[in-house]
Amino acid sequence: MFATIKNRFATTDIEVKREDLYKVVVQRDAIFELIFMLREQYDYQTLNAITCCDWIEEEHFAITYILTTSDRKQSFMVQTMIGREDAQIDSLTHTFEQAEIMERDLHEMYGIDFPGNQNLVELSLENWVHTPPLRREFDTLEFVNNNLSFREGRDGNMDVKKEMKRLRALKKAQKAAAKKAKEEASEVSDGN
Amino acid sequence: METNKHITIFHGPQHPGITGNMSVELDLIGETIQKATTHVGYLHRGFEKLVERRTVIQAFTIVCRICVPEPDPNEANFAMAVEELAGIEVSERVKYIRVMVLELSRLASQCMWLAGQSGSIGLYAVGQWAIADRDLILDLFEELTGGRVYHMYIYPGGVRRDLPDGFLRRLEKVLNHFKKRLKEYDNIFINNASFKSRAIGVGIVSPEECIKNGYVGQVLRGCGIEADVRKDAPYLVYDQLDFEVPTAQGGDVYARALVRRAEMDQSIHILEQVIDKMPEGEIMVKMPTHRKFKLPKNDTWVKVESSRGEFAYYMAGDGSEKIRRMQVRGPSLVHAFTLLEDLLVGAELSDVALIMNSLGICPPEIER
Amino acid sequence: MKWSIDISGTLSPLGILAAMMQKPNTIAYPAVKKETAVGYRGFHTNLLVDCIGCANCQDVCMNDAIDMIKTDKEYNVKNSSQCIPRIDYGRCCWCSLCTDVCPPDSLKLDEEYLGVTQYASDFLYMPKDK
Ligand code: SF4
Ligand code: SF4
């Protein structure tokens, strides 16, 4: 199986992650061909999940299709990269019925478009107008600070690092003062 | 559409028989459902985003909240994924303790199901009993982990506390109680004529559809397919334990109930073996960077068998202390949309809660 | 579906009547209290003679539940910042990470877990000194 995939899709590497889990990364235009081949020839009948991971530094999303054989003993992660701007990849709903809801989820969370999926309506975020929340540029902390507030009465919080520094400086100063006082005292006694 | 015949109603989120905070929009003619649309969104908490801001141990405390009735498969999955990415091997004792926790939580969550399923057809006494029995397991959890519902116990690299003195004996006592009790449940619920007449032939799923659409758990096993992650891709020490995968024929609500009931027996059987075999050893991996797991740039897919079917996590690290991406794929996502919307067409309004309960749909894990 | 009487299925559920003779599973709450297990994760306690004011607990708490504040209590002489933690129970999830990272083990979770108040401000909880 590995040799066929390597030849046909010109990939260098098929990773064996565990006994029951393989992973391959292919070009974007070859991915559906590979999925269909796995499905027809190697009994990978079930689409378990479609996952997405945002690699913002490299300017792409990694979309992974996880397929499982019909005896459920082997899984295959088929991964491809798509650009972050106007992210878009064809829908799989014509082959796998359950892809509809998975794509709907990713559409809402990442703003990826799946041409061919008729039902990309909102899922759990009602009336959401900001950036799709799972994209890395969406900053949850900033959103919370802008939209929500802390409980009242929490302003007594001290910056501990500063406080430690201040106290240490204070102690040092006190010590120095004490030393000075001592020295002065001894000078006085010397003078006698 | 003919006028004056159709009526559209929302079933849930406040319906007592429904499985949680979700709703199904139903188009009815008379009592018969023409179209069903699932709506979620009452419970979105954004865990998948939150873990991206946290280090591994900080994220570990919130993953259990992804599924309310059954938090432990989440903790186990999270720990397994982190261990696989970071290349940590845990001791034998840890594995046995984890198996014990997972099976206990399966048992507890099957009790929850008993309560929901019987409540959905009006047999409330069974529900009360089941919840009371579940409390015995929660007492065990309280003693072991310090929490009753959210345990935060299965830590990446081990477990958080060792077993208290005499814990296994108390576990044995609870199991003996359960063995007696399960026979009574057979009499008053599983063999009950009113349950049979409501459940047989309702909500039928075909085996081909199951495989193709990725249904899991009791839906598969209720069609006579022996599918169980614990057998197919053994994790922890399930390959050293002796148990069966119960199946039933028919693919209807009753078949799924029979499967669940048989699984309770199997869980007890596994727990008894765990009591006998519990080895000695370390409960936590010794590491210099114990609180600072660094996940290399890599990704993985791990799965465990929860009480409702395969529960899987996708996890990616990026070389820092934080998790780059954690995606949850619980059993309910596909069940609640692809399957439920299909099954409800042609069903009666009064069967909606029955069917939902038998699929084991749990909204917290759909929305994360 | 043909209608036929399922005799055993009709009679066996009547076995539930036997439960009327049994002792109830519940306890009479205010009179009898349930014993909390040792090691239950309840309210926080902080032994002030041990706390060194290092703010490890504040750093690890990802819910931002902990404030380090000044009070007029007696501190440990080694308390380098002269601050002690106060916890916002509106945010805390009793995950017990703060007690795990506390170097002198002064911060702990207690078996006590009942708190009733009519003021929202009481959610800002000062751990008991014990
Ligand atoms: S309670 Fe513990 S961790 Fe928190 S400041 Fe005091 S010594 Fe440090
Ligand atoms: S128990 Fe957890 S949430 Fe609560 S204060 Fe401690 S670290 Fe924060």
Side-chain angles (χ1 to χ4, degrees), chain B residues 25-138:
Chain B
E25 188 186 344
L26 303 169
D27 281 0
L28 299 163
I29 292 185
E31 285 269 293
T32 315
I33 297 161
Q34 306 295 312
K35 181 166 169 278
T37 320
T38 308
H39 292 284
V40 293
Y42 307 97
L43 203 60
H44 184 78
R45 295 145 296 170
F47 287 141
E48 289 181 355
K49 183 74 186 178
L50 287 179
V51 295
E52 290 178 6
R53 287 186 55 229
R54 302 171 177 217
T55 61
V56 170
I57 66 152
Q58 289 176 335
F60 140 83
T61 61
I62 56 168
V63 289
C64 56
R65 281 148 218 277
I66 287 170
C67 180
V68 181
E70 203 189 7
D72 300 288
N74 289 290
E75 295 180 15
N77 256 334
F78 182 80
M80 273 160 57
V82 169
E83 281 155 14
E84 193 176 315
L85 287 177
I88 301 165
E89 183 65 37
V90 293
S91 74
E92 204 71 350
R93 183 177 175 83
V94 169
K95 288 182 183 167
Y96 271 93
I97 293 180
R98 283 184 185 178
V99 167
M100 185 184 79
V101 170
L102 283 173
E103 289 304 322
L104 273 176
S105 94
R106 282 165 69 83
L107 207 50
S109 136
Q110 302 294 25
C111 286
M112 273 295 252
W113 161 79
L114 257 178
Q117 187 82 85
S118 56
S120 70
I121 59 167
L123 298 173
Y124 295 112
V126 185
Q128 311 283 357
W129 284 20
I131 293 297
D133 284 342
R134 173 175 177 262
D135 251 38
L136 297 177
I137 299 178
L138 296 194

Side-chain angles (χ1 to χ4, degrees), chain B residues 125-179:
Chain B
V126 185
Q128 311 283 357
W129 284 20
I131 293 297
D133 284 342
R134 173 175 177 262
D135 251 38
L136 297 177
I137 299 178
L138 296 194
D139 284 346
L140 287 178
F141 272 134
E142 175 180 330
E143 193 186 336
L144 177 66
T145 69
R148 288 177 76 82
V149 177
Y150 297 127
H151 311 136
M152 304 176 219
Y153 181 66
I154 301 176
Y155 193 97
V159 291
R160 254 176 140 178
R161 301 179 183 175
D162 210 340
L163 302 181
D165 281 344
F167 180 79
L168 293 176
R169 296 284 82 78
R170 286 189 285 281
L171 171 60
E172 216 171 343
K173 234 195 239 162
V174 171
L175 292 183
N176 288 337
H177 170 84
F178 259 87
K179 276 197 222 155

Side-chain angles (χ1 to χ4, degrees), chain A residues 54-125:
Chain A
D54 187 352
W55 297 101
I56 193 168
E57 306 86 355
E58 291 148 38
E59 293 277 313
H60 60 227
F61 290 133
I63 305 269
T64 318
Y65 294 86
I66 290 148
L67 302 161
T68 305
T69 50
S70 65
D71 64 359
R72 319 186 73 77
K73 297 211 160 116
Q74 282 292 335
S75 299
F76 216 122
M77 299 167 78
V78 185
Q79 194 170 73
T80 190
M81 310 296 172
I82 63 174
R84 292 184 85 254
E85 296 302 312
D86 297 325
Q88 160 177 4
I89 187 161
D90 281 343
S91 167
L92 258 184
T93 36
H94 48 80
T95 321
F96 297 104
E97 222 182 297
Q98 72 272 33
E100 179 183 303
I101 179 64
M102 296 164 185
E103 286 168 0
R104 197 169 143 196
D105 190 24
L106 291 186
H107 172 74
E108 182 171 79
M109 292 301 169
Y110 285 96
I112 303 170
D113 193 19
F114 293 91
N117 189 331
Q118 310 295 331
N119 195 15
L120 289 179
V121 291
E122 68 185 12
L123 180 64
S124 46
L125 304 174

Side-chain angles (χ1 to χ4, degrees), chain C residues 46 50-58 68 79 83-85 98 101-107:
Chain C
N46 187 6
D50 278 351
C51 176
I52 51 171
C54 61
N56 272 1
C57 48
Q58 186 183 33
M68 297 298 292
N79 190 329
C83 292
I84 52 169
C98 49
V101 298
C102 179
D105 262 346
S106 70
L107 197 63

Side-chain angles (χ1 to χ4, degrees), chain B residues 61, chain C residues 44 57 60-66 87-89 91-99 107 109:
Chain B
T61 61
Chain C
H44 290 76
C57 48
V60 82
C61 178
M62 69 300 182
N63 296 335
D64 280 344
I66 297 185
I87 296 149
D88 180 355
Y89 273 171
R91 299 179 76 91
C92 176
C93 67
W94 286 273
C95 63
S96 155
L97 279 184
C98 49
T99 63
L107 197 63
L109 293 179

